[in-house]
């Protein structure tokens, strides 16, 4: 979960502490006039220690441990917070204050057990307050995230519906053009057929949102075949698959963005440095790597899916089950994706 101390929340925290501190010092002024100097320093030390106690729980303990299955660790951490509270008060009020200001908070004959239990009583409320505020803030934050996800889902559904007519119309038209072109120009007909197969794959839907890996590989081959038809003598791409793709399923169109970027930004007409595309299937892991020589020319004006959108999609489809590396090595650009399961 993202940090709950946003700029807006920070203003409320500052206001809350100002009101709380003002209340404590006002009470000191109204009821402890005889010991105002001592009361001021003791109130200041308690406020400072409670401030540290609150944010230790609010920012560290509860975000990490207030969840199912972590109860023993949570209890141990809260006992540790109380121990720090007691130790801090003892250090400031029973060691530093006597040495610097000349007074103790507790009398010298106070029993250790009494000091511990007395400060456990005074230290516990801030632990409860921080838990309540953290839980409330986390609930508001989750609701805000859920609203955003619902909004994004509705926008995606609307965009999807808007694209349904045109792709189906284009797919049917391509089939018609293939039947018209085949008797006249077979290369043109083959290009139309490849494009038609690409469109059919893009329109394919499955109940679980997954497709056979073999279909994804076939899509990549058809995509590259179209480019070879466009540049028959200057398209040097080496695509190799190792391992057994049969029986494996992946999210559709999860591999093509890397190939698109390599073709868009890479050097394709150098047979000594072809674009290397490697797909390795081993056990539950799928390793996909694309390496291309970098080019200063932008051969394609289209923007593609973009890495930020791709990272978002991978995070949604393969949470904690993917690794993505994108970077340059000398004159080469390398992208590597590992999927698990």
């Amino acid at each position: 979960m993202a940090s709950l101390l946003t700029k807006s929340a920070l203003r409320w925290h500052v206001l809350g502490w100002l009101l709380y501190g003002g209340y404590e010092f006002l009470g000191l002024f109204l009821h402890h006039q005889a010991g105002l100097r001592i009361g001021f320093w003791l109130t200041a030390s308690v406020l400072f220690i409670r401030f540290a106690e609150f944010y230790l729980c609010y920012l560290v303990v509860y975000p990490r441990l207030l969840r199912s299955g972590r109860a023993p660790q949570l209890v141990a951490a809260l006992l540790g917070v109380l121990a720090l509270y007691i130790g801090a008060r003892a250090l400031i009020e029973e060691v530093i204050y006597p040495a610097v200001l000349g007074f103790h908070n507790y009398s010298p004959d106070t029993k250790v057990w009494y000091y511990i239990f007395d400060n456990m009583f005074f230290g516990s409320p801030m632990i409860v307050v921080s838990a309540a505020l953290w839980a409330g803030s986390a609930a508001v934050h989750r609701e805000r995230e859920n609203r955003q996800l619902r909004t994004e889902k509705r926008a995606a559904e609307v965009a999807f519906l808007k694209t349904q007519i045109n792709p189906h119309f284009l797919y049917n038209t391509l089939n018609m053009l293939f039947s018209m072109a085949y008797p006249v120009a077979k290369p043109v007909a083959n290009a139309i057929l490849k494009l038609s197969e690409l469109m059919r794959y893009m329109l394919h839907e499955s109940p679980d949102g997954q497709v056979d890996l073999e279909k994804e590989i076939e899509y990549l081959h058809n995509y590259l075949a179209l480019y070879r038809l466009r540049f028959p003598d200057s398209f040097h791409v080496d695509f190799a698959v190792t391992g057994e793709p049969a029986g494996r399923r992946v999210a559709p169109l999860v591999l093509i963005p890397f190939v698109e970027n390599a073709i868009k930004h890479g050097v394709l007409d150098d047979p000594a440095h072809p674009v290397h595309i490697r797909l390795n299937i081993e056990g539950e892991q799928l390793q996909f790597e694309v390496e291309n020589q970098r080019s200063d020319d932008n051969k394609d004006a289209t923007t593609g899916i973009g890495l930020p959108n791709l990272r978002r999609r991978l995070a949604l489809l393969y949470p904690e089950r993917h690794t993505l590396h994108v970077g340059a090595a000398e004159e080469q650009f390398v992208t590597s994706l590992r999927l698990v399961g």
Side-chain angles (χ1 to χ4, degrees):
M1 179 178 295
S3 174
L4 298 180
L5 271 183
T6 61
K7 289 184 179 180
S8 176
L10 186 59
R11 289 194 291 267
W12 287 105
H13 280 249
V14 172
L15 178 61
W17 282 106
L18 289 176
L19 291 175
Y20 174 58
Y23 174 82
E24 290 290 339
F25 281 110
L26 179 62
L28 169 67
F29 179 77
L30 293 176
H31 302 291
H32 297 83
Q33 293 185 3
L36 191 60
R37 171 179 172 272
I38 294 176
F40 171 84
W41 286 107
L42 291 177
T43 301
S45 64
V46 169
L47 283 174
F48 172 76
I49 296 170
R50 284 180 174 174
F51 179 89
E53 178 190 21
F54 176 91
Y55 286 107
L56 181 59
C57 293
Y58 187 84
L59 298 177
V60 179
V61 174
Y62 294 133
R64 297 185 179 184
L65 301 177
L66 193 57
R67 64 188 67 178
S68 177
R70 305 299 298 273
Q73 296 92 323
L74 176 63
V75 172
L78 293 179
L79 291 175
V81 170
L82 277 176
L84 289 174
Y85 175 88
I86 297 170
R89 287 202 68 179
L91 176 65
I92 294 174
E93 298 172 356
E94 309 304 327
V95 177
I96 297 177
Y97 279 3
V100 177
L101 302 176
F103 67 85
H104 293 264
N105 184 20
Y106 288 76
S107 62
D109 59 346
T110 300
K111 302 294 184 181
V112 173
W113 65 265
Y114 176 83
Y115 186 88
I116 292 175
F117 282 104
D118 192 50
N119 279 280
M120 287 180 67
F121 173 80
F122 286 110
S124 297
M126 197 56 66
I127 291 178
V128 177
V129 170
S130 62
L133 289 178
W134 184 87
S137 299
V140 171
H141 185 76
R142 282 193 297 269
E143 177 58 28
R144 188 181 297 116
E145 285 187 334
N146 289 336
R147 285 200 305 268
Q148 182 178 355
L149 287 174
R150 288 194 295 267
T151 301
E152 291 178 356
K153 182 181 178 182
R154 284 195 297 268
E157 289 173 349
V158 171
F160 177 75
L161 290 174
K162 287 181 178 180
T163 62
Q164 287 304 289
I165 297 177
N166 288 339
H168 280 289
F169 173 77
L170 180 58
Y171 172 61
N172 293 331
T173 303
L174 288 172
N175 286 335
M176 179 192 69
L177 292 175
F178 170 77
S179 62
M180 295 173 61
Y182 188 79
V184 181
K186 291 185 179 180
V188 175
N190 288 332
I192 295 174
L193 181 61
K194 293 295 183 185
L195 184 57
S196 175
E197 291 172 350
L198 291 178
M199 290 298 303
R200 181 170 56 187
Y201 181 77
M202 292 175 66
L203 293 173
H204 174 76
E205 296 181 19
S206 59
D208 62 352
Q210 302 275 302
V211 297
D212 293 335
L213 180 56
E214 292 173 303
K215 295 292 186 182
E216 185 80 0
I217 294 172
E218 181 184 358
Y219 178 82
L220 294 179
H221 279 300
N222 288 333
Y223 182 86
L224 295 173
L226 271 179
Y227 269 91
R228 287 193 178 93
L229 289 173
R230 289 179 60 188
F231 312 104
D233 299 322
S234 58
F235 188 75
H236 301 283
V237 176
D238 179 22
F239 182 20
V241 178
T242 57
E244 181 52 58
R248 294 293 304 273
R249 292 174 66 80
V250 296
L253 303 174
V254 74
L255 305 179
I256 189 63
F258 304 104
V259 179
E260 286 181 337
N261 286 335
I263 292 177
K264 177 181 177 181
H265 299 291
V267 176
L268 306 177
D269 58 357
D270 184 358
H273 300 90
V275 176
H276 291 288
I277 304 173
R278 298 286 182 267
L279 177 60
N280 180 48
I281 305 104
E282 184 175 351
E284 292 296 317
Q285 296 191 16
L286 181 151
Q287 186 79 28
F288 187 67
E289 184 174 290
V290 179
E291 180 181 352
N292 61 274
Q293 188 177 5
R294 288 184 292 175
S295 172
D296 296 330
D297 298 328
N298 189 352
K299 303 179 291 300
D300 189 349
T302 59
T303 58
I305 191 173
L307 283 176
N309 289 340
L310 180 60
R311 292 183 191 276
R312 171 69 172 167
R313 187 169 181 238
L314 288 170
L316 292 172
L317 296 175
Y318 295 93
E320 299 182 359
R321 294 188 294 118
H322 78 279
T323 304
L324 174 62
H325 294 291
V326 179
E330 297 180 356
E331 296 183 354
Q332 299 294 110
F333 193 81
V334 181
T335 56
S336 177
L337 173 66
R338 182 176 66 89
L339 302 179
V340 179

